[in-house]
Amino acid sequence: MAQTTGPAGFTRQPIGKNRGKNRGENLGENDALLCDGVPLSAIANAEGTPVYVYSAAVLRERYRAIDSAFGEYPHQLHYALKANSTLAIARLLRGLGSAVDANSVWEIEVARTAGFDPSQIVFTGVGKSPAELERAVVLGVKAINVESAGELARLEAIASRLGRTVRVAVRVNPDIDARSHPHISTGLKINKFGVPLDAARELLGTLGSRPSLALVAIHVHVGSQITGLEPLRRAAALAAGLSLELRQQGFPLEYVDLGGGLGVSYDGSAVPSDAEYAGALVGEVRPTSLPIVVEPGRAIAAPAGALVARVIDVKPRTASSDFVVIDAGMTELIRPALYSAFHRIEPLSAPPSGEHHYEIVGPVCESSDVVGRDRMLPILAAGDLVAIRDAGAYGSVMASNYNRRPLAAEVLVDEGGWRVIRRRQGLADLLALED
Ligand code: LLP
């Protein structure tokens, strides 16, 4: 295990004593990419590639920055496990005081395994099965965020059969355009999520006479990778306004759940700061004096992770550009293929001069398996290592075994050392469920 100390996060530093260690790599002269002071090349050489590398320091920093941005206003972060639910990461966030948002009974069980109490879990999801609802009722989670009248009725039947009162939040679809990628915008009427405002008012009106349902909050979540404050502010205003109405009707609401969605800067363009984000939400919710719950996933996990891959081949593409085939692709990071998402790609060691035009592609047999389009990068050769940045959220969790590719290893760097927090799958794992 490496024992190096250095600045937190992903930084470039002179190679110094690490230089020349990694034979077979096209090591540059001037710098190396480090994670919390540990050279990523050391991790890649020891653990193989592709490998997800996470910085514990960045996870802590991001959690604390968002948490403290709410200042004195009562609030609770419920980290969205869907962004990255590897146990060690869930445990780390729990240690910081986070609660969680789970999107399936399996995420609930992962949360429980990571030590979260049911009272720290909110359960969201547009298609919760009866078995999932029953498990959540039996556990007594903090709230089940209900997405439809039908789901509420099914939940009521389960709760009354079990002789329980279930804590519910109603997810309102505010018909707000998050102006994010259409695949991850959830707040428009045409999206499958939540209950439209008018229908929600009607549904909420029935709750007074349904004793097994205890309304504890209004929930909104209008999308992910939201890079402007307005959609978030408007959704908060709507949830706060509705909460005030309900309080006046006598519902003892406990908090307002504003979902996740805060975007990160994948390409250096501006995104709202934590202070602007929290300030906008607090500004809207303060008149209710209800505590704020938020469910950030990406804003905590994305910048904390890099996917490290090795160049397998470089081959001609056009007169002026080459393909760089790396050993990570849509099986490890599907975001570029699915949303045309941009992730910075950088060689771990950059040669001092010279750039070339590249299309960075994965090994999967799909033409959509492009990790980086149209990139000017330092000259690359087979054997070189590259880092795909901001892959800590919606990377490993969306991985697949397509082409029978094993799930990659995950490594957590903490205090100058690293450990494997999920080992790489092997052939036995790939065949474990089969006859
Ligand atoms: N709460 C709810 C109810 C959600 O549906 C989501 C994300 C979050 C919280 C967390 O949102 P965040 O803070 O991470 O934006 N796979 C896509 C993102 C899908 C997000 C789904 N819901 C991607 O890679 O961009």
Side-chain angles (χ1 to χ4, degrees):
M1 177 169 286
Q3 289 295 333
T4 322
T5 49
F10 294 90
T11 54
R12 298 206 82 96
Q13 256 190 13
I15 287 178
K17 62 182 166 50
N18 301 307
R19 186 175 163 196
K21 257 191 189 171
N22 311 312
R23 305 229 175 273
E25 275 175 61
N26 192 25
L27 270 186
E29 295 299 321
N30 57 350
D31 66 357
L33 188 60
L34 314 177
C35 174
D36 298 354
V38 178
L40 285 173
S41 57
I43 297 174
N45 287 326
E47 310 300 346
T49 53
V51 58
Y52 304 93
V53 180
Y54 306 118
S55 156
V58 173
L59 286 166
R60 291 192 187 101
E61 196 179 290
R62 291 303 303 133
Y63 178 86
R64 289 182 178 137
I66 298 172
D67 189 44
S68 61
F70 285 91
E72 296 301 304
Y73 195 85
H75 65 279
Q76 176 65 52
L77 269 55
H78 280 249
Y79 169 66
L81 282 172
K82 61 176 76 67
N84 187 322
S85 58
T86 306
L87 272 178
I89 303 236
R91 286 194 186 109
L92 185 148
L93 286 160
R94 178 174 159 264
L96 298 174
S98 189
V100 288
D101 163 40
N103 204 71
S104 70
V105 76
W106 307 108
E107 283 188 353
I108 290 179
E109 300 301 355
V110 167
R112 301 249 304 134
T113 307
F116 288 94
D117 188 80
S119 66
Q120 296 178 292
I121 303 172
V122 295
F123 183 20
T124 317
V126 79
K128 307 178 202 81
S129 72
E132 290 183 293
L133 289 174
E134 179 155 345
R135 176 72 177 145
V137 171
V138 168
L139 283 173
V141 297
K142 171 163 163 171
I144 298 181
N145 295 341
V146 171
E147 302 251 0
S148 74
E151 181 174 67
L152 195 64
R154 285 189 293 280
L155 189 55
E156 183 180 28
I158 291 167
S160 63
R161 171 165 55 78
L162 297 173
R164 301 277 192 122
T165 302
V166 58
R167 297 166 55 86
V168 297
V170 170
R171 177 170 181 177
V172 176
N173 180 321
D175 198 24
I176 289 173
D177 186 355
R179 290 188 223 119
S180 182
H181 189 281
H183 291 189
I184 52 175
S185 292
T186 52
L188 282 174
K189 252 191 189 136
I190 52 159
N191 300 130
K192 65 182 176 179
F193 299 96
V195 187
L197 186 57
D198 290 346
R201 281 210 177 87
E202 228 170 273
L203 190 62
L204 291 160
T206 69
L207 285 178
S209 56
R210 301 170 79 173
S212 45
L213 301 172
L215 181 72
V216 297
I218 291 299
H219 178 230
V220 286
H221 170 80
V222 293
S224 192
Q225 184 53 14
I226 300 174
T227 54
L229 273 186
E230 266 331 283
L232 293 162
R233 188 202 304 279
R234 284 176 55 209
L238 182 130
L242 185 56
S243 300
L244 270 181
E245 281 175 35
L246 290 163
R247 285 250 296 231
Q248 278 153 14
Q249 292 166 29
F251 286 103
L253 296 184
E254 296 178 12
Y255 60 91
V256 186
D257 184 343
L258 301 176
L262 178 61
V264 305
S265 182
Y266 287 100
D267 61 359
S269 56
V271 293
S273 69
D274 302 319
E276 289 166 335
Y277 168 68
L281 303 191
V282 170
E284 298 300 335
V285 175
R286 196 184 287 284
T288 69
S289 60
L290 288 169
I292 292 175
V293 160
V294 281
E295 304 165 351
R298 186 191 317 266
I300 292 174
L307 173 60
V308 178
R310 200 178 283 278
V311 175
I312 294 174
D313 195 14
V314 179
K315 60 186 227 175
R317 177 172 173 253
T318 64
S320 59
S321 77
D322 290 337
F323 286 110
V324 172
V325 186
I326 58 175
D327 65 1
M330 65 194 296
T331 37
E332 288 72 35
L333 185 68
I334 201 173
R335 304 193 69 258
L338 197 54
Y339 320 113
S340 305
F342 175 91
H343 284 258
R344 278 176 294 161
I345 300 174
E346 32 184 320
L348 296 198
S349 306
S353 63
E355 281 199 328
H356 191 59
H357 186 202
Y358 292 122
E359 186 96 334
I360 314 289
V361 300
V364 172
C365 83
E366 296 245 354
S367 291
S368 60
D369 187 26
V370 177
V371 182
R373 284 187 196 284
D374 274 337
R375 302 294 173 93
M376 287 305 292
L377 288 177
I379 307 297
L380 287 165
D384 286 353
L385 290 164
V386 296
I388 304 156
R389 299 287 304 277
D390 301 311
Y394 307 112
S396 68
V397 285
M398 296 180 80
S400 82
N401 289 129
Y402 187 36
N403 287 187
R404 286 285 187 171
R405 289 170 56 75
L407 296 181
E410 294 179 278
V411 163
L412 183 66
V413 180
D414 198 5
E415 293 177 351
W418 83 78
R419 67 191 171 94
V420 175
I421 56 172
R422 187 184 73 186
R423 67 169 173 82
R424 189 179 307 283
Q425 281 186 324
L427 183 60
D429 300 307
L430 286 177
L431 296 175
L433 306 178
E434 296 174 34
D435 189 349

